[in-house]
Amino acid sequence: MKPVKIPEKTVTRLSIYLRCLEELEADGVGSVSSKQLAERFGLNAAQVRKDLAYFGQFGVRGLGYYIAELKHNLERILGLKQDWEVALVGVGNLGSALIAYKGFQARGFRISMAFDADPAKVGQHIDGVVVMDAAKLVPTLRKKKVKIAVVAVPSAVAQSVADLLVEAGVTAILNFAPAQLAVPEGVKVQNVDLSVLLKTLSYHTVRTTCATPRRVEARTSA
Amino acid sequence: MKPVKIPEKTVTRLSIYLRCLEELEADGVGSVSSKQLAERFGLNAAQVRKDLAYFGQFGVRGLGYYIAELKHNLERILGLKQDWEVALVGVGNLGSALIAYKGFQARGFRISMAFDADPAKVGQHIDGVVVMDAAKLVPTLRKKKVKIAVVAVPSAVAQSVADLLVEAGVTAILNFAPAQLAVPEGVKVQNVDLSVLLKTLSYHTVRTTCATPRRVEARTSA
DNA sequence: TAGATTGTTAATCGATTAACAATC
DNA sequence: TAGATTGTTAATCGATTAACAATC
C-alpha cells in the first residue's frame, strides 16, 4: 500500500549490479557485500543497499548478499525471467545492424519481427528476420502481444510510428530517432540519441582542449 | 574566478534546445521565449533560462531569444563550429552500421577511420572508410589529433581499447560495450548500453502489464 | 560473544521550480 | 508608458550519503 516512487536511476543501476553479479558468479564467488559491489563502479555502499531495499530484504546482516539469490531476485524484478519479443521499425542502416546485433538475443530480448514502409525492403530476410510491410504493424503486434519495440526510422516519421505502436498495445519503446515522442501515460520511451551524446562529447572536448573564453561578468546591483 | 559547475543534464538539454531552434528556424520563426521552448518538451521555462544563463546572457527582456543568435551561441558552446574526426574501434555488426549511419556526418561528426584486430577485416572498405590494424591505433590517432572515439568492441577487450585511446590522446569516448571503463580525469565516457536500456524497458513492462497496485498521479503536460 | 554488514532514518547535497526586480 | 520576458535569487523537491540500531 506504499506508493513508493522508485527512481529511474535505481532501475538502471539494478541492471548494472546484475551484470556484476554475473561476473562474480562466473568467478565462483558465493556472496558479496554492498561495499564490495559499490567499489566495483565507484558508487556508494549505502546507495547499493538503498537501491536493493526498494524491492525487499535480500541481504544477510554481517555477511552481505548471496550472489545466486540476489541475481535471481534482480532478474525477477527486471522482468528477465521471460524472453521478450521485440519488434523493430525501420530497416535502414541502423535497423539492420540492430537485427544482427548479438547483444540482444543473449539477454532474452529477441528482435523477432521487423517493419519498413519501403516496398523494396518488404520481404527481404535480414539475419533470419523477414521485413514486413509497415501497414501490417498494428494487427501483427496486437496478435503477437508484443510489448517492446525499437524505433529506427527517420525523425520525420518517428511520431507517427510511435502512434501506431501505442495503438498496437506496445508499452515500451527504444527510440533511436532524434525526436521527442509524445506517448500516453503508461508507455515508456527510452531515447538513444547518438547525436545528442556526440554533442555532449564535443562540448567536453572543446572545454578541455581549448582555452575557454571568459563569461560576461554579471552587472553589480543593489 | 567562479568555478561554476555545469550539470551534465544542462549540457544534454542544450543539444535538445538546439534541435528545436533548427526546426523553428526552418519554419521561419525569428524569436522564441523560454516558455515556448519549454512547452515544446514539457520542461520548465525557468529551467530553460537557467540552463542558458550558465553560459551568458543571450535573451532580450520582454521579447525572448533571437533564434539565429541563440543557435549560433549554442553551436559555439557545444563545439559544433568545427567538424570532428571520429575514430571507430571494432568493426563488427554495430561498428559497421555506425560507419554507414548517416546521422553522424550530417552534424559535423565524421567517422574518418576505423580499427579492428581481426586480420580478415583489416584493409576492407566500409562505406568509404578503410579498416586499419588495431596495432596502428595509437600512432595514427596521435598524428591526426583525433579527440573523439567510438568503442564498439566486445566488453572483454573494451578496457584495453580504452587504455590505448587514452594513450593516443583521445579525450571523449562513446562506449557501446556493456562495461564500466576506467579512464583518467579529463577523459569523458558516454555509455550507450543497449542491454541496460532494454532491461529498464522490461522492468517497466512487467510493472505495468502485471497486476501492480499503484496510484496514478495526474500530471498536466502537453 | 565480537565483528561485520544490513536495512533504514536523518543529514547533506544538488537540481528543479517559483518568484520577482530589472529592463526591453 | 504598459506589457512581456529575462536573469537571478530564494524555496522546494528529490536523490545521494552518513550514521547507526538491528542482527547475522
Side-chain angles (χ1 to χ4, degrees):
Chain A
M1 297 306 121
K2 292 199 292 179
V4 194
K5 170 70 170 47
I6 290 157
E8 181 76 21
K9 285 187 147 190
T10 288
V11 179
T12 300
R13 282 192 297 262
L14 293 188
S15 295
I16 295 174
Y17 302 153
L18 178 57
R19 189 161 70 213
C20 188
L21 293 175
E22 286 162 355
E23 289 169 19
L24 289 169
E25 196 174 50
D27 292 349
V29 181
S31 69
V32 67
S33 70
S34 60
K35 187 155 171 284
Q36 293 173 305
L37 215 39
E39 276 168 1
R40 201 107 169 184
F41 338 88
L43 293 178
N44 182 290
Q47 183 168 66
V48 172
R49 295 199 296 277
K50 193 150 217 261
D51 283 341
L52 298 175
Y54 279 114
F55 301 94
Q57 309 195 161
F58 306 124
V60 182
R61 282 159 204 244
L63 180 94
Y65 300 86
Y66 286 113
I67 287 177
E69 194 192 322
L70 183 56
K71 179 165 165 276
H72 167 81
N73 275 296
L74 290 184
E75 286 174 346
R76 179 181 55 74
I77 292 162
L78 291 169
L80 303 175
K81 288 296 183 186
Q82 62 175 286
D83 276 2
W84 292 96
E85 277 198 88
V86 177
L88 178 109
V89 192
V91 187
N93 279 313
L94 192 63
S96 315
L98 292 172
I99 293 174
Y101 190 45
K102 301 305 176 211
F104 277 90
Q105 290 104 314
R107 312 290 178 130
F109 297 92
R110 200 161 44 87
I111 295 184
S112 58
M113 54 190 86
F115 298 89
D116 204 292
D118 181 357
K121 284 178 183 157
V122 174
Q124 274 188 9
H125 284 252
I126 294 175
D127 221 63
V129 176
V130 192
V131 179
M132 289 182 270
D133 192 321
K136 300 271 175 57
L137 193 151
V138 176
T140 311
L141 266 55
R142 272 233 183 96
K143 193 172 166 190
K144 294 269 206 158
K145 296 190 167 46
V146 172
K147 295 293 162 205
I148 303 178
V150 176
V151 172
V153 300
S155 58
V157 295
Q159 182 60 58
S160 62
V161 165
D163 293 343
L164 290 176
L165 291 171
V166 168
E167 193 190 335
V170 163
T171 59
I173 296 173
L174 187 62
N175 174 40
F176 284 87
Q180 202 68 20
L181 301 181
V183 293
E185 184 93 358
V187 177
K188 174 88 188 161
V189 176
Q190 283 279 9
N191 288 305
V192 188
D193 192 325
L194 297 180
S195 163
V196 166
L197 292 170
L198 282 169
K199 282 170 190 163
T200 311
L201 291 178
S202 77
Y203 165 82
H204 171 83
T205 303
V206 281
R207 294 287 121 167
T208 51
T209 59
C210 306
T212 314
R214 270 289 120 211
R215 278 192 313 117
V216 178
E217 197 57 43
R219 184 199 31 72
T220 49
S221 73
Chain B
M1 308 294 260
K2 294 200 291 179
V4 194
K5 170 71 170 47
I6 290 155
E8 181 76 22
K9 285 187 149 191
T10 289
V11 179
T12 300
R13 282 192 296 264
L14 292 189
S15 294
I16 296 174
Y17 302 152
L18 177 57
R19 188 160 70 214
C20 189
L21 293 176
E22 286 162 355
E23 289 168 19
L24 289 169
E25 195 173 52
D27 292 350
V29 181
S31 68
V32 66
S33 71
S34 59
K35 186 154 174 284
Q36 292 172 307
L37 213 39
E39 274 168 2
R40 201 107 168 185
F41 339 88
L43 293 178
N44 182 290
Q47 183 167 70
V48 172
R49 294 200 298 276
K50 192 150 217 260
D51 282 340
L52 298 175
Y54 279 114
F55 300 94
Q57 309 196 159
F58 306 123
V60 181
R61 284 160 203 244
L63 180 94
Y65 301 86
Y66 286 114
I67 287 177
E69 193 192 322
L70 183 56
K71 177 166 165 275
H72 168 81
N73 276 297
L74 290 183
E75 286 174 346
R76 180 180 55 73
I77 292 162
L78 291 170
L80 303 174
K81 287 296 182 185
Q82 62 175 288
D83 276 2
W84 292 96
E85 277 198 89
V86 177
L88 177 109
V89 191
V91 186
N93 279 314
L94 191 63
S96 315
L98 292 173
I99 292 174
Y101 190 44
K102 301 303 176 215
F104 278 90
Q105 290 105 312
R107 310 290 178 132
F109 297 92
R110 200 162 43 89
I111 295 184
S112 58
M113 54 190 87
F115 298 90
D116 204 293
D118 182 356
K121 284 176 183 156
V122 174
Q124 276 188 9
H125 284 250
I126 295 174
D127 223 64
V129 175
V130 193
V131 180
M132 288 182 271
D133 191 322
K136 301 270 173 59
L137 194 150
V138 176
T140 311
L141 265 57
R142 272 232 184 97
K143 193 173 167 188
K144 293 271 207 156
K145 294 191 167 48
V146 173
K147 295 294 163 205
I148 302 178
V150 177
V151 171
V153 299
S155 58
V157 295
Q159 183 60 59
S160 60
V161 165
D163 294 343
L164 290 177
L165 291 172
V166 169
E167 194 191 332
V170 163
T171 58
I173 296 173
L174 187 62
N175 173 41
F176 285 88
Q180 202 68 20
L181 301 182
V183 292
E185 184 92 359
V187 178
K188 175 88 189 161
V189 177
Q190 282 280 8
N191 288 306
V192 188
D193 193 326
L194 298 180
S195 162
V196 165
L197 292 170
L198 282 169
K199 282 170 189 162
T200 311
L201 292 177
S202 78
Y203 165 84
H204 171 83
T205 305
V206 282
R207 295 287 121 166
T208 51
T209 57
C210 304
T212 312
R214 93 219 102 91
R215 183 179 306 279
V216 177
E217 209 69 35
R219 185 79 217 265
T220 46
S221 164

